[in-house]
Amino acid sequence: MTTEIEWRRRWKPDLSSCPWQPIEVDGIKYLIKFKFTENSYEILITDLVHFWYEELEDMALRKRIQKLNPSIEASLTRILDQIRGSVEYPERETTLSVGFKSADDDDEPEKIMLKITSQLAGMPFVWNFIANVADSAMVSENLVIPMMGMVCELTRRQKELIKVIENKDKEIDDYKCQGVKASRKHIETKPFVETAFENEMLMSKMFESSVKSLGSTAFDEAGQDLYRQIMTKYAWINRSPTKKEDNSDDFEDDSLGDVAERKGSSGPSWGTSRLPPSIAGPKSVSPDKVRPKTSPAKSPKSSASNTPEGSPVKDSEYLRRQALERRLEQEEMKKHEKTKKKKKIAF
């Protein structure tokens, strides 16, 4: 069974797991999220009314680069880094502008074009994101579900914090009963009352400014990190293990002897089914083959002398080999158990 830590190491985040980032263009606030790879990108833009999406891959990406920046010669990875940096961390020389292309029979924007003007190695660099209207499923996966998850988690954390504060009040009361006093008057606090705290928050000026800002403050650095953690956990909960993943997990958990057996190794081994060459001779043999077989061509006397049962010396040698083999098996199993434990606790 795959653990969450092992799954996180192999998991490749998709666009829904990338956090939103607030940007302001021409006095209008937008939320934008994106996922870049070595030769492609996905981008989702919203003004909290409409959603636009674009995905551009290798060849189409190269064509647009050639069209917009014919004089620039750089690797695809370098250009994608430039595009991402211009959106994520725009510099002074970077400018953003937004344009719309409306449908002929509808006032609603059909496409949005986010134009970026920046500099790459001292030369002007231009890029246009041209995004179509996103479908409702994408809106749900990238905003509705994550935001509901964030609200639930923040509510849970608030309740836990209230418990911590109430316990702190009890601890302070206990100190006061023992005659302990604060060294400075201004650091004393009043007992926490949840209802009074909630009313105070609703009447504060920060509550009004928080409502006005909406999405722009929901995705600050802390909000982005919470979004990322929520969606990573959501992907883990809703994962669908593949056969390949299950097989790889079994392979990692198996002992070394089992791995060698699956590979059909014919070389000398100290696995559980083999003896060391110093004991087994030039070629390792199983315990059943150690005992010589009685040949029908020989006389009964000769046969009796050649079997382990017929000779006390050979009996003791055979038993010694069996005992040594069992000891080697036990030692090997202990080594394998230690290896498994290290794998389980390794992060």
Side-chain angles (χ1 to χ4, degrees), residues 297-317:
K298 294 182 180 180
S299 63
K301 183 178 180 180
S302 176
S303 299
S305 63
N306 288 335
T307 58
E309 291 80 8
S311 170
V313 176
K314 290 187 177 181
D315 277 343
S316 62
E317 177 66 17

Side-chain angles (χ1 to χ4, degrees), residues 218-236:
F219 293 106
D220 56 7
E221 186 175 350
Q224 290 178 3
D225 184 64
L226 178 60
Y227 179 100
R228 191 180 294 109
Q229 295 301 328
I230 290 285
M231 294 310 292
T232 301
K233 179 68 73 171
Y234 183 79
W236 157 254

Side-chain angles (χ1 to χ4, degrees), residues 73-262:
E73 293 185 3
S75 65
L76 187 58
T77 304
R78 177 68 183 88
I79 290 177
L80 286 171
D81 287 341
Q82 172 69 19
I83 297 171
R84 178 174 183 169
S86 299
V87 179
E88 194 169 11
Y89 307 107
E91 298 177 352
R92 286 186 178 181
E93 62 272 12
T94 302
T95 59
L96 303 176
S97 61
V98 171
F100 297 97
K101 180 182 178 182
S102 300
D104 296 335
D105 56 349
D106 196 345
D107 294 331
E108 185 180 9
E110 182 182 43
K111 293 184 179 181
I112 187 174
M113 184 174 72
L114 176 61
K115 184 176 181 179
I116 302 173
T117 304
S118 61
Q119 287 192 355
L120 175 60
M123 298 183 64
F125 180 83
V126 179
W127 188 255
N128 295 337
F129 291 106
I130 305 173
N132 295 307
V133 176
D135 58 41
S136 57
M138 184 165 286
V139 175
S140 175
E141 291 172 1
N142 289 274
L143 188 65
V144 178
I145 292 175
M147 291 293 285
M148 291 178 67
M150 291 175 70
V151 170
C152 290
E153 175 59 14
L154 288 173
T155 303
R156 184 189 71 85
R157 293 185 184 186
Q158 178 177 310
K159 291 179 180 178
E160 291 298 319
L161 285 172
I162 289 172
K163 291 179 182 178
V164 172
I165 295 172
E166 289 174 344
N167 289 333
K168 288 289 183 184
D169 281 346
K170 292 178 182 178
E171 183 179 354
I172 292 171
D173 286 341
D174 184 60
Y175 291 148
K176 287 181 177 179
C177 289
Q178 298 177 41
V180 178
K181 294 182 179 180
S183 60
R184 287 165 290 180
K185 191 73 175 177
H186 69 275
I187 65 173
E188 290 186 357
T189 57
K190 297 179 180 179
F192 177 79
V193 180
E194 183 178 353
T195 305
F197 171 77
E198 291 177 352
N199 291 334
E200 184 180 349
M201 292 296 102
L202 291 174
M203 298 303 294
S204 67
K205 293 181 179 180
M206 293 301 295
F207 177 64
E208 183 177 344
S209 60
S210 178
V211 173
K212 286 180 179 179
S213 61
L214 288 177
S216 60
T217 56
F219 293 106
D220 56 7
E221 186 175 350
Q224 290 178 3
D225 184 64
L226 178 60
Y227 179 100
R228 191 180 294 109
Q229 295 301 328
I230 290 285
M231 294 310 292
T232 301
K233 179 68 73 171
Y234 183 79
W236 157 254
I237 294 170
N238 293 279
R239 73 195 184 283
S240 40
T242 60
K243 185 175 181 181
K244 182 178 179 181
E245 179 181 314
D246 292 340
N247 290 340
S248 66
D249 294 336
D250 294 341
F251 183 87
E252 290 175 359
D253 290 339
D254 281 338
S255 64
L256 298 176
D258 293 336
V259 172
E261 184 178 352
R262 272 205 303 274

Side-chain angles (χ1 to χ4, degrees), residues 3 12 16 56 69 106 166 220 229 232 239 252 261 291 294 322 347:
T3 65
K12 295 181 179 179
S16 65
L56 212 58
N69 304 278
D106 196 345
E166 289 174 344
D220 56 7
Q229 295 301 328
T232 301
R239 73 195 184 283
E252 290 175 359
E261 184 178 352
R291 182 180 301 180
T294 304
Q322 281 190 324
F347 283 70

Side-chain angles (χ1 to χ4, degrees), residues 15 25 35 47 67 81 119 137 139 170 196 271 278 287 316 326:
L15 181 63
V25 185
K35 180 180 182 295
D47 57 2
K67 180 180 179 180
D81 287 341
Q119 287 192 355
V139 175
K170 292 178 182 178
S278 60
S316 62
R326 284 195 298 270

